[in-house]
Amino acid sequence: MEREKWGRRIRAFRKLKGFTQESFAKELGVSVSVLGEIERGNRMPSQEIIVRIADALNISSNELRPLEENQSV
């Protein structure tokens, strides 16, 4: 369930910033299939990937974090 929340947040921010899945995967240095797995909630992003995603989107890691986790921090 937590993986799905991360995936939805990452996909939403990626689209909001105008990235295609292919261009965003290239920006992150991962394959499109890895990014797809993360966005579908089949794979939990590592802390390193979370930081790279936040940097690429020009947001903080906390902004990217699913809402329930923000509230408990």
Side-chain angles (χ1 to χ4, degrees), residues 8-21:
R8 284 193 301 267
R9 296 278 294 175
I10 291 166
R11 180 184 296 125
F13 273 107
R14 172 182 62 78
K15 289 182 174 186
L16 185 66
K17 298 289 183 163
F19 283 102
T20 63
Q21 201 174 48

Side-chain angles (χ1 to χ4, degrees), residues 10-51:
I10 291 166
R11 180 184 296 125
F13 273 107
R14 172 182 62 78
K15 289 182 174 186
L16 185 66
K17 298 289 183 163
F19 283 102
T20 63
Q21 201 174 48
E22 187 175 281
S23 66
F24 196 53
K26 188 174 184 177
E27 177 80 20
L28 298 175
V30 300
S31 69
V32 174
S33 62
V34 167
L35 181 58
E37 289 280 310
I38 291 170
E39 288 189 352
R40 286 190 301 276
N42 295 332
R43 177 185 286 210
M44 182 67 183
S46 67
Q47 186 59 41
E48 177 188 348
I49 293 290
I50 291 169
V51 169

Side-chain angles (χ1 to χ4, degrees), residues 65-73:
R65 196 171 306 280
L67 295 177
E68 294 78 10
E69 292 183 32
N70 274 341
Q71 293 169 354
S72 64
V73 172

Side-chain angles (χ1 to χ4, degrees), residues 58-70:
N58 200 29
I59 60 173
S60 73
S61 297
N62 281 338
E63 286 178 274
L64 189 59
R65 196 171 306 280
L67 295 177
E68 294 78 10
E69 292 183 32
N70 274 341

